[in-house]
Amino acid sequence: MKLAYSLVAAALFSGQVMANKAPLKFDDVFDFKYAHSTQLAEDGKFLAFSAKPYRGNAQGQVYNLTNNTLITTVERGTKAHINRSSTWVAFTQIPTLLESETATKKERKALKNNLVLVDTQTGQQQLFEHVKDYQLSDDGRWLAYREDIEKNKAEDKPKQEKSAIKADKKDKPLTLVVLDLHTKKTQRFENVISYGLSPAEYGVLFSQHDSVTANNQVKYLDLSTQSVDALFNEPGVTVSAIAWHPYSSIVAFNLSNYVNEDKRRRSYDVTLWDASTNKITKIENPSGWYSAKTAKLKWSEQGERLYFENRPLLDNKVEAQKYHDEASLRDFDTIREQSGLKLWHNNDPEIKPREQHTWKKTNRDRQYQAVYHIESQKVIQLADETVRDVTLNTEADFMLGRNDQPYLKKIMYDGFYADYYAVKVSTGAKGYIVKDSPNRPSLSPTGRHAAYFLHDQLWLKDLHEQKEHAVSKAVRNAIFADDRHDYPEPNPGYGFAGWQLDGSKLYAYSKYDIWAFDSKSGEANRLTQGKESSTQYRVIKLDKKQVGFEANETLYLSAHNLENKQTHIAKLNLKTGLLTTVLKGDARFDLVKKAKHADKLIFTEQTYHQFPDFWQTSSQFDTPQRVTHLNPQIANFAWGQKPELVQYQGYNGEKMQGVLIKPANYVPGHKLPVVIYFYRYMSQRMYDFPKMELNHRPNFPMFTSNGYAVFLPDIRFEIGKPGPSSTQTLINAAQKLVDMGVADKNRIGLQGHSWAGYQSAFAVTQTDMFKAVVSGAPVSNMTSAYSGIRLKTGLARQFQYESGQSRIGQPLTAAPDLYIENSPVFFADKVNTPILLMFGDKDGAVPWQEGIQYYLALRRHDKDAIFLQYEGEPHHLKKFPNQVDFSVRMMEYFDHYLRGMPAAEWIKSGKPHRPEE
């Protein structure tokens, strides 16, 4: 057995901080970097990502994993991409932050991106300016890109003939450049709408638009001969999606013509062309179906199947009647056509805002999955109106189908339900799994069996015989229903790990362990021993396309201890049953990437004091090596002491845990101001590195390095009493800190947002224990919020109260007393605690009028209340100035009420409305 590693020196965890460590300031937060679009080369030799600071310009970074050296950095490099042969790393270079922030809206649209190619062997960079999009060949020899330069002067544009067929507005004809990266020779092609570079060394297919005569062409550039041939040459011809076969000279594309100006009804032919034989194959859609412009094309990894999308034929477009002569001004039909009516009917499956949302986001351009089998030359329709959605895995022989249409009305008050099916890729046959289910089933690779969770039991179903069996009933020593689920709805299960590739075994989760269930007999076998140590084992899925597990496969597991909150990494050999912990310590470990064709893994280790930098190792985990050092400045700050777990009692006496973080220079016995930040369960964050940003939540090191203790308690709710149960839990948690001698009972504050914003807003109506509260986006009146609408999704808010987070469990008409008893606005006269309310006035989750109601009620009773309205902001602040502004005000508010510092002017006098005219 290999030794397990704890990879950071104990000194990093120590609460002993040198006297010269500085408190964190707001602008210090700007410099903290996080890795984005992380890419690991398929051969495991290179790691690339964009290191983006919270405020500033991103930096592309490329590492050689042979010696863990930083090869090069790319200023403003984003969206890292490594080609398959690992010869190049490409970055999209965006404009500087200063350019973006100082530009007008019109100027910002005119800013262009560049492309930077990094040679992985030399580290040298090549810059290509004004690049709209690009493609790299797998072998690294060829680069194709479009220059983002449009002719914008009228005199530079050729006069367009009246008969010309116009391209769609968003289809910008740009110059295509094809570059041989070995010889540096280039070819340029004007007015290219779309293009596709073959992954192997075949060629480039592209669509050209002639803006003068519309005599468009679809052309092919042969990379070996540099010859160019036109495959299609006709007025208006165009191509949308292009997808090359992964290993051959075949290319698939959607071919159509701009002559039909109705983009929604314009039919595109899914077409195959073989560059070697010049053979063109038009894939015939099933009768009554057509492929639209937005349809996607995707090959399976070996290219035996082409997945494409289509939709049922649409009725002809009905043109709206408009005023066109004197008579039309008095025509009733024409007049009424101009009305802005939206008719809400009780029998509508969806309420109008939801119907509008789903139409715009999904249904207007809804596509249905289909597949073309290359060998049999058959088209199989996988999704249709009865099974509208399938979970696409290009390597699977069976796919999970879903249809929620029968339950659209039910969703509004009872949560999300659907019918599920097994869809056979070779025939399109659909096997029924379960109806009216709130939980997503799991389908075996063979399509013979499925598993789902219902009535607190795990069910295994034989789809051929349509027989099901509650296999978890026979397991007496395990919990399969989520025992921490405190919602007024059926309990979900803990989920599924997957299946054996031959379908003979289902791998499912209990609260702690991974179980193997025999598909035929239902016999259960426990594969891990997590229950004995309160450790929750879960499979880490690094290959999203994996269909199932081999019988002798070794799985990587996450091992999270529910008592001490450490998260380790383990390996489980399915053949021998050997379970080995390979990464462990007082920390949280996460596997991030696995090289596709090499024994190379990337993982992170993090604690409150240690940023989750990247480490590399092999599958043996014998010599882990650190790769990155993204934020060394952490050592400069008085970050805080090592977090500790605190136990206290919940509302019903249940044992609860919370995370306490004290200042770095804390002296035992000294009583501190405390900010309690909460939502639901929070103690699992014990070993999380704090998110270094400024937004709707307090920045923990900002507070601890400036003299506060921060506490993150777990909350468990009582159905029908979300407000009282949360409040009592918060009181118990705060009292525990007082009893420990850590918290000054006169200097404890609450900060919460959204659901926690509600809890904090309610708590101060019931207790004076907290001396200041910052409440973001709270519901204050459940009687009004119940019949409101979530503007972002168009959903009625009723489901949140009857079956969801707000946990009333009954309709308003059945339990009006519970809605009132849990609403802060009805007890505003009882509030004696200063409260700062915050809302964005475009909040799509909680109507911002809920904040107004509470503020006005508090104001009416002359309470100490301030309301921050951020214009144009959604549920969470998105605009950087507003994030900073709120973070500063939050700190100033707590500094005044919890630390006795002089009140900022806005706390004393507000901010008058004095816009300059």
Side-chain angles (χ1 to χ4, degrees), residues 272 279 281-284 299 303-306 308 371-381 425-428:
L272 300 180
K279 180 182 178 182
T281 303
K282 177 184 172 183
I283 297 177
E284 296 290 341
W299 291 95
E304 75 277 20
R305 299 184 288 224
L306 173 67
F308 67 98
V371 63
Y372 177 73
H373 294 273
I374 298 298
E375 186 175 344
S376 65
Q377 300 183 1
K378 287 185 178 179
V379 170
I380 301 299
Q381 193 63 44
V425 175
S426 61
T427 65

Side-chain angles (χ1 to χ4, degrees), residues 26 54 693-697 703 870 877 882-892:
F26 285 102
Y54 180 59
E693 57 187 22
L694 306 174
N695 54 18
H696 60 278
R697 64 174 70 88
F703 278 82
Y870 287 97
L877 299 177
N882 292 337
Q883 293 175 333
V884 173
D885 182 81
F886 177 60
S887 295
V888 171
R889 293 185 193 277
M890 185 197 311
M891 178 70 87
E892 290 176 338

Side-chain angles (χ1 to χ4, degrees), residues 746 771-772 834 864 892-900 907:
N746 294 314
K771 304 309 175 185
D864 188 346
E892 290 176 338
Y893 198 76
F894 283 133
D895 278 350
H896 174 58
Y897 286 106
L898 302 187
R899 296 178 65 192
I907 296 176

Side-chain angles (χ1 to χ4, degrees), residues 660-663 665-667 669-675 707-710 741-748 898:
L660 176 63
I661 312 166
K662 302 171 187 173
N665 58 355
Y666 175 69
V667 177
H670 182 63
K671 295 181 179 180
L672 297 168
V674 178
V675 171
Y708 290 89
V710 173
V742 173
D744 183 333
K745 67 178 181 180
N746 294 314
R747 295 192 294 165
I748 303 176
L898 302 187

Side-chain angles (χ1 to χ4, degrees), residues 386-387 399-403 419-423 430-433:
T386 60
V387 180
M399 296 183 187
L400 185 67
R402 178 180 180 274
N403 185 34
D419 298 335
Y420 290 92
Y421 301 83
V423 181
K430 297 170 177 63
Y432 161 68
I433 298 176

Side-chain angles (χ1 to χ4, degrees), residues 17 20-25 28-29 31-32 633-640 664 701 705:
V17 181
N20 61 353
K21 296 296 180 75
L24 204 67
K25 301 189 297 294
D28 293 324
V29 178
D31 299 326
F32 279 84
Q633 72 272 30
I634 296 171
N636 300 331
F637 300 109
W639 207 251
S705 70

Side-chain angles (χ1 to χ4, degrees), residues 203-258:
V204 184
L205 184 81
F206 58 95
S207 176
Q208 275 185 313
H209 177 71
D210 188 326
S211 59
V212 178
T213 65
N215 288 325
N216 297 353
Q217 293 182 319
V218 179
K219 292 181 176 178
Y220 174 68
L221 166 64
D222 188 312
L223 294 177
S224 60
T225 65
Q226 296 296 294
S227 61
V228 179
D229 295 304
L231 305 185
F232 300 92
N233 185 348
E234 63 183 70
V237 70
T238 185
V239 167
S240 58
I242 300 174
W244 279 89
H245 190 281
Y247 299 110
S248 78
S249 56
I250 297 174
V251 60
F253 52 94
N254 289 337
L255 181 72
S256 190
N257 197 296
Y258 287 129

Side-chain angles (χ1 to χ4, degrees), residues 625-757:
Q625 303 168 47
R626 186 170 182 170
V627 179
T628 65
H629 296 77
L630 286 181
N631 293 294
Q633 72 272 30
I634 296 171
N636 300 331
F637 300 109
W639 207 251
Q641 293 194 352
K642 179 181 177 181
E644 56 188 274
L645 283 172
V646 174
Q647 292 192 359
Y648 55 93
Q649 283 192 339
Y651 172 74
N652 58 3
E654 181 182 1
K655 184 182 77 171
M656 308 297 289
Q657 291 178 306
V659 178
L660 176 63
I661 312 166
K662 302 171 187 173
N665 58 355
Y666 175 69
V667 177
H670 182 63
K671 295 181 179 180
L672 297 168
V674 178
V675 171
I676 298 177
Y677 174 71
F678 61 104
Y679 193 85
R680 190 186 176 211
Y681 293 109
M682 302 290 286
S683 62
Q684 71 275 10
R685 302 188 185 194
M686 171 78 172
Y687 289 99
D688 288 5
F689 182 81
K691 198 73 172 175
M692 294 309 294
E693 57 187 22
L694 306 174
N695 54 18
H696 60 278
R697 64 174 70 88
N699 183 291
F700 303 155
M702 178 76 70
F703 278 82
T704 57
S705 70
N706 283 279
Y708 290 89
V710 173
F711 189 57
L712 315 176
D714 288 341
I715 307 288
R716 185 177 173 90
F717 301 90
E718 188 81 10
I719 294 173
K721 299 179 180 180
S725 57
S726 172
T727 297
Q728 189 59 57
T729 303
L730 288 169
I731 291 172
N732 294 351
Q735 187 60 50
K736 177 67 175 184
L737 301 183
V738 173
D739 295 342
M740 291 171 61
V742 173
D744 183 333
K745 67 178 181 180
N746 294 314
R747 295 192 294 165
I748 303 176
L750 296 178
Q751 199 282 331
H753 187 85
S754 190
W755 179 236

